[in-house]
């Protein structure tokens, strides 16, 4: 099922934890459609470069298995972790700082997390072995 021109439900629910159910509810699918539309804006902003989804929606079981908090926006289908081939996560974050995201996080200099919300906080952060700090 296509959620937008470039993003499918399958890629937005992919998980390495194949034995765990990662099926979203209809409300979560609606959130994923909204997220996919936002990711289309991300893709356009990045000049049409491919966006490789590492993780988007996570069921409670999958979220627990990866050690994330229950408050994670991944649980609602409102967040995605992704890579852009040929772009460092710092460059991705810098390019997207003007968009209406809730959070954008450079995680371990390996991928970018982006989330959306009705009232975006526009938090830009770095998470790595040194902890959590503002992206400057």
């Amino acid at each position: 099922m296509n959620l937008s021109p470039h993003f499918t439900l399958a890629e937005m629910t992919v998980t390495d934890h194949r034995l765990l159910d990662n099926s979203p509810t209809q409300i979560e699918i609606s959130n994923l459609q909204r997220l996919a539309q936002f990711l289309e804006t991300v893709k356009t902003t990045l000049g049409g470069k491919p966006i490789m989804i590492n993780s988007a929606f996570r069921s409670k079981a999958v979220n627990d298995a990866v050690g994330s908090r229950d408050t994670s926006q991944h649980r609602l289908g409102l967040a995605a972790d992704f890579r852009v081939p040929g772009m460092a996560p710092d460059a991705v974050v810098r390019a997207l700082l003007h968009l209406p995201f809730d959070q954008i996080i450079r995680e371990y200099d390996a991928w970018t997390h982006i989330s959306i919300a009705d009232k975006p906080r526009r938090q830009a952060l770095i998470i790595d072995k040194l902890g959590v700090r503002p992206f400057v």
Side-chain angles (χ1 to χ4, degrees):
M1 168 185 183
N2 287 337
L3 299 173
S4 71
H6 295 100
F7 300 97
T8 66
L9 181 60
E11 73 184 303
M12 299 292 271
T13 57
V14 71
T15 179
D16 289 337
H17 300 278
R18 304 216 188 279
L19 299 178
L20 301 175
D21 182 24
N22 200 42
S23 302
T25 66
Q26 191 56 50
I27 290 171
E28 292 158 346
I29 290 171
S30 294
N31 287 342
L32 286 168
Q33 287 173 317
R34 188 171 147 214
L35 178 62
Q37 287 302 319
F38 184 78
L39 290 172
E40 293 291 344
T41 302
V42 168
K43 183 175 182 65
T44 299
T45 301
L46 297 177
K49 290 183 179 358
I51 295 176
M52 313 301 290
I53 304 295
N54 297 342
S55 176
F57 174 75
R58 294 184 197 143
S59 66
K60 175 148 177 54
V62 170
N63 201 59
D64 289 350
V66 301
S68 189
R69 296 179 181 164
D70 281 338
T71 57
S72 169
Q73 288 172 297
H74 287 279
R75 289 280 296 112
L76 303 173
L78 294 173
D81 297 339
F82 65 95
R83 294 172 290 106
V84 179
M87 282 188 82
D90 272 350
V92 172
V93 170
R94 275 192 212 89
L96 302 178
L97 283 174
H98 69 283
L99 295 180
F101 56 82
D102 187 50
Q103 286 186 317
I104 191 165
I105 306 171
R106 187 202 79 195
E107 294 195 44
Y108 301 96
D109 206 24
W111 66 86
T112 304
H113 165 99
I114 200 159
S115 63
I116 59 174
D118 290 334
K119 293 181 181 179
R121 294 174 288 173
R122 298 190 42 79
Q123 274 188 328
L125 303 169
I126 295 171
I127 295 176
D128 59 20
K129 64 182 179 181
L130 299 176
V132 179
R133 60 193 181 280
F135 184 94
V136 288

